[in-house]
Amino acid sequence: MTSILLTGGAGYIGSHTYISLLEAGYTPVILDNFANSHPAVLERLQAITGRPAVCERGDVLDTPWVEEVLRRHRIGGVVHFAGDKAVGESVAKPLKYYRNNLGGAVSLMQAMENAGCGTLVFSSSATVYGDPQSVPIAEDAARSHTNPYGHTKLVIEDMLAAQRVAQPDWKVAVLRYFNPVGAHPSGLIGEDPSGIPNNLMPFITQVALGQRPHLQVFGSDYPTPDGTGVRDYIHVCDLAEGHVAALKVLLESGRSLSVNLGTGQGHSVLEVVRAFEAASSRPVPFQLVPRRPGDVANVYADPRLAQELLGWRATRTLAQMCADAWRWQSRNPTGYRTA
Ligand code: NAD
Ligand code: UD1
């Protein structure tokens, strides 16, 4: 079966996509420098799949090496997850983001062109919609950016469009993720943020474990039903299956596309807290505090185009997202460092 290179495949979304690809009959190959992941994930993947995980350790910025990896594994398609993703850090260290995210994409695309591989799935983000004019957000909504991280996603989308004009045989799927949460139901792999989590779900799981005293709910005066921010949380296993569906379309129909990967349903911060308490049977104490700068009130996807073009839609519930996030965190209180 076709070999698929997963840059950043040792990370949170990449490791889940690795499993879905294997289940769908592809041969996934991980390429990662472990800048934001742990090699122990490879043993966990082997435990789940019953097969040793194939991993090339190195940097996507190293174009000749990436080209050599593409050729040696006879790669038929690439999923590009590798990059830095912390919004706050990108404001403090913009050059790190432009170098790794933009430089990484240029390097990968050059290596692919050299090796004659033009099939690429790219991890974009709902952040490219900036502060949306209305919800649900469809793919033709205006794009903008409010921080260097978001800017890199926008520019990479544009670079891919330019490359498709120059190389009409390239097949590209741009996947705009909404808010990925949850973990594989085995409890063996999951999200393992370093330091204080920026995102809601990993913060909640650490509060439930007693590692942090309480959650700060950023803003309770938004124009939403309970005043707290509303987002489109999507189970990471649904997201992983979306990648398989996108690759199938690229490989079988040769059609390029840009689609949202979300559920189409918004949940407030307080709804997530309540769902998590129900799933974990643990209290999640919280304090209402002022809004986080840069946050917007209400973000959820119009998921219809993904269903139409990919034949894919998210099926897992918020309760499953919370139960799976809790299973992972409670069995691995210090993430992969317990391995
Ligand atoms: P992650 O940090 O867990 O995974 C990224 C992986 O890339 C890590 O394993 C890291 O070691 C690797 N990496 C980084 N720079 C590299 C380089 N130069 N060479 C080789 N490997 C490198 O992040 P994730 O949550 O799995 O996100 C994957 C992708 O999805 C990212 O591009 C991110 O911007 C995008 N995304 C994530 C979210 C989210 O909420 N997690 C939302 C929207 C988009
Ligand atoms: C953040 C990023 C976005 C990225 C997305 C998915 C910012 C400004 N945006 O979006 O670029 O694509 O993650 O990784 O960082 N919340 C709390 N308390 C917390 C943490 C979060 O109340 O401790 C609230 C937020 O205000 C928001 C919701 O929970 O309403 C979700 O927050 P978060 O998980 O950080 O995701 P986003 O803000 O949607």
Side-chain angles (χ1 to χ4, degrees), residues 286-319:
F286 65 83
Q287 285 180 351
L288 303 178
V289 301
R291 296 179 180 189
R292 181 170 65 177
D295 271 359
V296 299
N298 199 358
V299 178
Y300 59 94
D302 180 338
R304 287 175 299 177
L305 191 64
Q307 173 143 27
E308 189 187 314
L309 297 182
L310 308 181
W312 166 94
R313 70 182 175 87
T315 58
R316 294 164 177 88
T317 61
L318 181 61

Side-chain angles (χ1 to χ4, degrees), residues 16-317:
H16 288 82
T17 303
Y18 174 94
I19 295 170
S20 296
L21 283 168
L22 207 56
E23 284 171 355
Y26 294 100
T27 305
V29 175
I30 292 170
L31 181 158
D32 207 297
N33 65 1
F34 297 100
N36 196 41
S37 48
H38 198 290
V41 71
L42 302 175
E43 291 143 36
R44 303 294 183 92
L45 289 174
Q46 176 165 359
I48 294 168
T49 65
R51 290 204 223 172
V54 181
C55 178
E56 296 282 350
R57 185 171 192 154
D59 203 303
V60 80
L61 288 161
D62 184 348
T63 313
W65 174 70
V66 177
E67 181 183 338
E68 188 271 319
V69 168
L70 288 166
R71 291 185 191 278
R72 181 157 40 85
H73 289 279
R74 299 177 197 283
I75 295 296
V78 177
V79 188
H80 183 41
F81 299 103
D84 293 321
K85 62 167 183 176
V87 171
E89 186 191 45
S90 81
V91 176
K93 299 181 184 169
L95 298 184
K96 179 182 184 209
Y97 279 69
Y98 289 118
R99 178 177 162 74
N100 200 35
N101 292 7
L102 294 189
V106 172
S107 172
L108 172 68
M109 289 161 69
Q110 185 65 64
M112 290 175 66
E113 190 176 298
N114 296 351
C117 172
T119 301
L120 178 60
V121 176
F122 173 59
S123 298
S124 191
S125 165
T127 193
V128 301
Y129 297 119
D131 188 353
Q133 299 284 306
S134 60
V135 286
I137 309 173
E139 288 78 355
D140 58 3
R143 295 179 314 147
S144 67
H145 62 89
T146 52
N147 54 67
Y149 166 71
H151 192 204
T152 65
K153 293 294 179 193
L154 237 158
V155 173
I156 295 168
E157 287 197 0
D158 292 345
M159 279 168 28
L160 290 167
Q163 179 68 355
R164 282 190 46 235
V165 172
Q167 307 274 339
D169 58 329
W170 274 51
K171 295 170 280 184
V172 176
V174 169
L175 305 182
R176 296 180 182 148
Y177 311 156
F178 280 66
N179 288 61
V181 297
H184 190 266
S186 63
L188 287 170
I189 62 169
E191 189 170 10
D192 184 17
S194 48
I196 302 172
N198 297 308
N199 296 121
L200 180 64
M201 188 63 91
F203 206 104
I204 288 179
T205 58
Q206 293 191 6
V207 171
L209 266 182
Q211 294 175 343
R212 304 191 184 277
H214 58 263
L215 171 73
Q216 291 189 317
V217 175
F218 297 139
S220 50
D221 57 351
Y222 284 111
T224 58
D226 65 19
T228 66
V230 167
R231 296 291 183 274
D232 187 337
Y233 298 94
I234 175 168
H235 196 296
V236 66
C237 293
D238 276 327
L239 195 69
E241 289 163 9
H243 291 72
V244 176
L247 262 171
K248 271 199 181 126
V249 169
L250 295 188
L251 292 168
E252 288 167 18
S253 83
R255 177 170 181 188
S256 289
L257 51 100
S258 296
V259 293
N260 292 335
L261 294 187
T263 64
Q265 257 203 299
H267 292 288
S268 74
V269 176
L270 295 183
E271 278 182 288
V272 176
V273 168
R274 280 193 291 272
F276 191 88
E277 288 182 327
S280 66
S281 305
R282 292 279 181 115
V284 178
F286 65 83
Q287 285 180 351
L288 303 178
V289 301
R291 296 179 180 189
R292 181 170 65 177
D295 271 359
V296 299
N298 199 358
V299 178
Y300 59 94
D302 180 338
R304 287 175 299 177
L305 191 64
Q307 173 143 27
E308 189 187 314
L309 297 182
L310 308 181
W312 166 94
R313 70 182 175 87
T315 58
R316 294 164 177 88
T317 61

Side-chain angles (χ1 to χ4, degrees), residues 183 187-191 324-332 336:
L188 287 170
I189 62 169
E191 189 170 10
D324 290 337
W326 175 240
R327 189 178 303 105
W328 153 251
Q329 187 75 70
S330 54
R331 290 187 187 176
N332 304 271
Y336 290 110

